[in-house]
Each structure stands twice: as C-alpha cells, then as structure tokens.
C-alpha cells in the first residue's frame, strides 16, 4: 500500500523536480506537472485536497483508457478531466514498486529529453527499471 509520503519520496528522487507549495503534494519538472494531489470538487463546498489520491499525467487518451479499463479499482477519472491525459490513482490500491513505475513514467513524459538522459544514467528512484513506454519500444 502506497501513500502520499511515498509519492513525495519518489518524485523528489527524480532529476530537476520541484515541489509546489500546496495543501497536499504537487510535483513538476520543467514547470510541467506530472503528479499531484487530487483536488476533489464538491457541489456547494470548497475543494477538498485528497492526499490519498494522486493525479498522474499519462501522455495520451489511449494510455488513459487502457489504465481506466484495465484496472478500474486502481484508476478513475471525473468529467472535469475529460479530454485531458490525466488519471486519478487510489494510492492505497498500489504497492510502492508500481507507484515507482507510474511516477517515473509520468516524469518521463513531461521532462525534456535533456533531463531524461540524467535519469537514464542512474539518478532517480532506486531501480526504476525501464518505463512501460520504453518496454514497448524494445
């Protein structure tokens, strides 16, 4: 079971990541968000920052749909995210190894190529292994 502390540790272990001041967590690379706390919108009430749910950048609609359809107990979306390459992840439903893969993949998709090379030479989360996108290319 993963939690917000795991997200923070993994995101900050990646090269050139900045944490944005927020009520939860919010991480960016090259000024582009790749993982942050889910700001749940509730009718007639203020937003609730959910640190038990992470919003992940997934790159495109095909990847989003694959995650949503393949693991509906882990990933979800809302109408506010329609058309955006983002999914929500229930942290309690993944282990730290899977979270490492997801956060690293999101970082890869948002980081400029010059920064990706920094991770490929061995910096970042311990033993992240190839990303899902890299595995598909091989």
């Amino acid at each position: 079971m993963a939690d917000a502390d795991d997200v923070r540790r993994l995101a900050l272990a990646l090269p050139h990541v900045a944490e944005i001041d927020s009520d939860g967590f919010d991480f960016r690379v090259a000024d582009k968000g790749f993982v942050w706390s889910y700001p749940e919108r509730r009718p007639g009430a203020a937003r609730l920052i959910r640190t038990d749910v992470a919003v992940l950048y997934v790159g495109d609609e095909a990847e989003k749909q694959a995650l949503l359809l393949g693991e509906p107990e882990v990933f979800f979306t809302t109408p506010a995210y329609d058309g955006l390459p983002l999914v929500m992840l229930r942290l309690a439903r993944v282990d730290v190894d899977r979270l490492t893969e997801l956060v690293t993949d999101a970082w890869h998709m948002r980081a400029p190529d010059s920064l990706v090379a920094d991770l490929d030479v061995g910096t970042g989360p311990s033993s992240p292994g190839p990303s899902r996108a890299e595995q598909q290319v091989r």
Side-chain angles (χ1 to χ4, degrees), residues 32-87:
K32 296 178 183 177
F34 66 98
V35 62
W36 58 91
S37 302
Y38 173 47
E40 184 176 21
R41 288 157 178 82
R42 303 172 298 159
R47 273 186 331 176
L48 173 65
I49 303 300
R50 300 267 312 266
T51 59
D52 62 321
V53 176
V55 179
L56 283 168
Y57 183 84
V58 294
D60 61 32
E61 187 67 22
E63 179 68 11
K64 177 179 182 173
Q65 291 305 315
L67 292 169
L68 293 171
L69 294 172
E71 298 175 84
E73 70 285 353
V74 176
F75 299 99
F76 70 99
T77 190
T78 66
Y81 289 91
D82 286 351
L84 298 173
L86 305 169
V87 294

Side-chain angles (χ1 to χ4, degrees), residues 8 18-28 37 47 49:
R8 181 169 281 107
E19 183 171 11
I20 305 305
D21 186 33
S22 74
D23 290 336
F25 53 85
D26 186 345
F27 298 98
R28 300 180 188 202
S37 302
R47 273 186 331 176
I49 303 300

